[in-house]
């Protein structure tokens, strides 16, 4: 079992930055691939970015590529989402998710929310115009 808790959300003006954190419990954190998803009011949950267990492979949604950066610190059991050049359309609840260890964490797998096994409660990000 794993527990995830997001933090760092808040209100920011367009063009500003936020850094989200996701703290995970357990010593098995380093074996999990991690992802960030978001869900705007009235919309479906969508993929944002993901990172494999080693940190070597990263994947980004086209909407955030070049603006957001995912990273992880396995020693701290934490994954981060650096969000720059924020836009009003980035407004959503952001969720951290963990995927059970697998032989290969592919681009297709990473983008599918149904592949993830654990989810945090989410943190609100609001970008004003």
């Amino acid at each position: 079992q794993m527990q995830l808790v997001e933090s760092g959300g808040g209100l920011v003006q367009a063009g500003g930055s936020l850094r989200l954190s996701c703290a995970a419990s357990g010593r098995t954190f380093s074996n999990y691939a991690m992802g960030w998803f978001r869900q705007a009011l009235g919309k479906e949950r969508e993929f944002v970015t993901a990172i494999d267990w080693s940190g070597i492979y990263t994947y980004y949604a086209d909407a955030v590529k070049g603006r957001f950066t995912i990273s992880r610190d396995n020693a701290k059991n934490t994954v981060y989402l650096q969000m720059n050049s924020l836009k009003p359309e980035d407004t959503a609840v952001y969720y951290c998710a963990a995927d059970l260890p697998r032989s290969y964490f592919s681009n297709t797998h990473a983008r599918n929310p149904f592949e993830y096994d654990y989810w945090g409660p989410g943190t609100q990000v609001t970008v004003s115009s």
Side-chain angles (χ1 to χ4, degrees):
Q1 299 293 321
M2 178 178 289
Q3 293 179 332
L4 305 172
V5 180
E6 304 93 342
S7 63
L11 176 64
V12 65
Q13 294 182 11
S17 298
L18 284 174
R19 189 193 191 201
L20 305 185
S21 297
C22 175
S25 65
R27 294 183 177 181
T28 60
F29 173 81
S30 62
N31 299 122
Y32 287 76
M34 304 295 295
W36 286 97
F37 292 77
R38 66 187 183 186
Q39 187 167 19
L41 186 64
K43 295 186 177 181
E44 297 292 325
R45 187 168 299 188
E46 66 174 345
F47 170 78
V48 177
T49 182
I51 189 168
D52 82 306
W53 68 269
S54 69
I56 298 299
Y57 297 96
T58 58
Y59 307 103
Y60 293 91
D62 290 342
V64 306
K65 188 173 294 184
R67 299 187 298 121
F68 292 9
T69 302
I70 189 172
S71 62
R72 67 189 297 162
D73 188 337
N74 289 343
K76 296 181 179 179
N77 291 343
T78 302
V79 63
Y80 304 96
L81 179 62
Q82 180 65 46
M83 309 164 67
N84 299 326
S85 301
L86 284 163
K87 305 175 181 180
E89 47 264 49
D90 294 318
T91 295
V93 176
Y94 283 71
Y95 297 92
C96 177
D99 185 26
L100 286 169
R102 302 178 187 275
S103 59
Y104 182 58
F105 188 62
S106 71
N107 176 58
T108 300
H109 187 100
R111 295 171 183 270
N112 184 1
F114 298 104
E115 296 287 355
Y116 291 80
D117 303 288
Y118 303 101
W119 294 82
T123 185
Q124 177 70 45
V125 172
T126 302
V127 184
S128 63
S129 60

